Amino acid sequence: MAVTVRRRRALQLLECVGMILVLLGLLRVYMLYNSNGYLGPPFVFDVGDTFMDWFHTAYWAHHGAAYSFWRTIYLPLSFVITGTIGNSACYESAQYDARDCDWIGYVAIVAMYVGCVVVSAVALWRHDRTTAIYRSVAIAAGQPLLFALERGNLVMLTYIPFVLLYGGLMRTNRGVAFAAAFMANMKIYMILPLLAIGIKRQWRLLELCGIATIALYLITLFIVGEGTPIEIYANLQNWFSVRIGAIWDELLYTTTYRPFLVLDEGQYPVRDYIDERYVAIGKAFIQAYYPLTRGIALLCLGLAWLYPRAVSMNRLVFFFLMQSFIGQNPGGYSISLIVFIVFMERKSNFAVITAIICCYLINFPGDFTLAKIYDFERESWLSGRTVLSEYTLPVGSLIRPGLIAISLWVLAIDTLIDVHRVARRERPCFGLRGRPGMLESAPADAPAPRPGTAAPTLA
């Protein structure tokens, strides 16, 4: 018992240190902002573009042609929301003018951020009260959610139903279906995690979620009048090509090392500045890292189909998200989804502790400069003055994807161990129908929830 108490206190101390590290990073961001007049990396380099993910979307919601001219990949729900919330008179001219006029948009952005913090705190408190404060503060003050706030990005409206769904706060199937539909219609890559319900053989719930998602899409498509699957597919192809061209924006806050391969191509002749041997080693590492890291996530998903009881629902969601984020960088704000789902892990073994430590480090606000590319004079919207902003290669660009990969690998290895234990006792389940007792929400050796905490609705 004494060993267990000491171990628990040591883990709490570790999480307290992680929280303090995040708060110190936030203090450093504030001090640098006071000194320089703008938010440095990994915030977006265009220091005059604060909140514009919301206001750009709202502008096209009022003017139309979002899919044919702006070439957006947002689903119609985003335009219904941004077109409804706000002062339409502010969008008669340019979107930058609207930002200085539509105060309702500011309220909406802050409300989204506050909503993210509140639902995270409630879910984490019900999950484990001994760590809830540390993790809640880390999420609220961490770089991914602050980045979403600075951009005014709609990922915050994705994050809230994500937490409601996988944080055990939805208690009915209708609630689960609504949260799933809203989440999937906000960010298109959030459709994939819903397949975890199918792996658990909860076909009626998956059907309900699918019907709700399609129904919400069709309703919003009718309201907006554009955003058909053909238009979205064409814009996705265009988006991928544009992202490849904007390599430095990709590198500033990426979830994967894949964008670094472009540095050795076209207009980025890194071999002119770095010894060719090191470039070749780095390129070989990335070319091996991508299929192996994505492959281990897909392997765990495949084994989970055979042994559904061995893998929890939240970890299935983690693997679905990670195999996607390793393949393509969705934006640094999406890391908030990964952080929350790891913070909801039920076990406290070496793998989970390592993944949680990585999440605290990933949450560290701000960054440190490895190399300065050039200076650019721009108008900072936050400070209201002209600043000399630095375009840099941050240290976090090199470290952050590695921390994400480490989180994936340690949890994947832990999952393979769980699968092995269950496989020794059970036959694999190849069919579409489940067997009694196989849809438990955690492996058999996972600790039971603490008194006062709620088990997740999803199995």
Side-chain angles (χ1 to χ4, degrees):
M1 178 64 70
V3 175
T4 304
V5 172
R6 286 200 298 269
R7 183 171 182 269
R8 187 180 300 124
R9 289 177 178 174
L11 293 178
Q12 289 181 8
L13 177 61
L14 189 63
E15 299 219 23
C16 182
V17 170
M19 180 191 69
I20 293 173
L21 183 66
V22 171
L23 291 175
L24 290 176
L26 180 61
L27 177 62
R28 180 175 177 271
V29 168
Y30 176 74
M31 294 173 63
L32 289 175
Y33 168 76
N34 277 343
S35 174
N36 301 328
Y38 68 95
L39 296 173
F43 292 98
V44 170
F45 174 66
D46 189 349
V47 297
D49 210 37
T50 301
F51 293 153
M52 289 311 295
D53 283 359
W54 173 275
F55 287 101
H56 280 308
T57 309
Y59 174 83
W60 291 104
H62 286 88
H63 286 264
Y67 294 90
S68 58
F69 190 82
W70 193 33
R71 306 297 300 274
T72 183
I73 60 174
Y74 283 150
L75 294 173
L77 178 60
S78 300
F79 298 98
V80 172
I81 293 173
T82 56
T84 303
I85 301 175
N87 184 358
S88 58
C90 294
Y91 296 91
E92 294 178 356
S93 54
Q95 51 261 51
Y96 285 93
D97 296 334
R99 182 178 53 176
D100 296 326
C101 167
D102 187 10
W103 63 269
I104 300 177
Y106 300 138
V107 174
I109 293 170
V110 174
M112 289 190 297
Y113 171 77
V114 172
C116 291
V117 174
V118 170
V119 295
S120 298
V122 172
L124 291 170
W125 181 260
R126 296 179 67 176
H127 169 67
D128 184 358
R129 296 182 181 182
T130 63
T131 61
I133 294 177
Y134 309 129
R135 298 180 185 184
S136 299
V137 172
I139 288 176
Q143 181 65 39
L145 203 55
L146 289 180
F147 186 53
L149 172 63
E150 190 272 339
R151 300 307 303 144
N153 196 272
L154 294 173
V155 75
M156 290 187 285
L157 284 182
T158 310
Y159 182 90
I160 293 173
F162 180 83
V163 173
L164 293 175
L165 190 60
Y166 301 114
L169 302 181
M170 281 297 181
R171 311 306 299 175
T172 66
N173 283 350
R174 289 183 180 180
V176 168
F178 178 79
F182 193 91
M183 179 179 69
N185 275 276
M186 288 307 303
K187 293 289 183 180
I188 196 167
Y189 54 78
M190 296 306 296
I191 295 175
L192 278 178
L194 296 180
L195 298 179
I197 302 174
I199 290 180
K200 288 292 187 178
R201 310 305 202 273
Q202 294 179 310
W203 299 116
R204 290 186 179 179
L205 182 58
L206 180 60
E207 180 184 12
L208 188 60
C209 291
I211 292 173
T213 299
I214 294 173
L216 183 58
Y217 169 70
L218 292 177
I219 292 170
T220 54
L221 175 62
F222 175 78
I223 294 172
V224 175
E226 56 180 338
T228 64
I230 295 175
E231 290 175 313
I232 293 173
Y233 176 78
N235 290 349
L236 274 171
Q237 297 300 109
N238 176 72
W239 184 79
F240 288 137
S241 64
V242 170
R243 296 286 285 185
I244 292 175
I247 181 61
W248 288 111
D249 290 335
E250 279 284 275
L251 294 180
L252 279 176
Y253 206 177
T254 177
T255 60
T256 173
Y257 283 119
R258 285 196 75 195
F260 283 87
L261 292 176
V262 185
L263 289 176
D264 196 35
E265 304 170 4
Q267 67 270 43
Y268 307 102
V270 295
R271 294 176 189 265
D272 293 346
Y273 305 96
I274 303 176
D275 191 291
E276 186 170 351
R277 293 174 300 173
Y278 300 121
V279 175
I281 292 173
K283 187 174 182 178
F285 165 77
I286 295 173
Q287 289 174 334
Y289 138 90
Y290 165 65
L292 290 175
T293 305
R294 194 177 189 188
I296 193 71
L298 294 173
L299 174 63
C300 290
L301 291 172
L303 291 174
W305 173 264
L306 300 177
Y307 300 98
R309 200 177 72 85
V311 189
S312 68
M313 177 68 75
N314 281 11
R315 196 169 287 191
L316 289 175
V317 171
F318 172 78
F319 289 133
F320 270 115
L321 287 176
M322 289 297 282
Q323 65 83 28
S324 177
F325 290 1
I326 293 296
Q328 183 70 41
N329 176 32
Y333 32 70
S334 300
I335 297 174
S336 58
L337 304 171
I338 296 295
V339 170
F340 174 78
I341 209 71
V342 171
F343 279 171
M344 287 295 294
E345 280 286 335
R346 291 191 171 277
K347 296 194 292 185
S348 60
N349 57 20
F350 175 80
V352 173
I353 293 171
T354 301
I356 288 174
I357 292 174
C358 288
C359 285
Y360 275 107
L361 295 175
I362 290 170
N363 263 357
F364 181 82
D367 217 322
F368 300 90
T369 298
L370 181 64
K372 184 169 73 172
I373 311 303
Y374 58 82
D375 296 325
F376 199 91
E377 189 175 274
R378 282 185 171 176
E379 185 75 18
S380 171
W381 185 82
L382 278 176
S383 63
R385 60 187 175 91
T386 301
V387 298
L388 191 64
S389 57
E390 294 183 348
Y391 210 23
T392 68
L393 177 62
V395 175
S397 297
L398 300 176
I399 297 177
R400 197 174 295 108
L403 293 173
I404 292 174
I406 290 172
S407 301
L408 172 56
W409 275 95
V410 293
L411 292 181
I413 293 172
D414 184 59
T415 299
L416 295 178
I417 294 172
D418 288 336
V419 169
H420 174 70
R421 288 171 178 166
V422 173
R424 294 173 61 183
R425 302 191 300 266
E426 298 179 3
R427 291 178 292 114
C429 181
F430 294 97
L432 298 179
R433 297 183 62 184
R435 292 194 298 268
M438 84 173 192
L439 300 182
E440 298 175 13
S441 62
D445 62 334
R450 295 175 183 274
T453 61
T457 301
L458 294 178

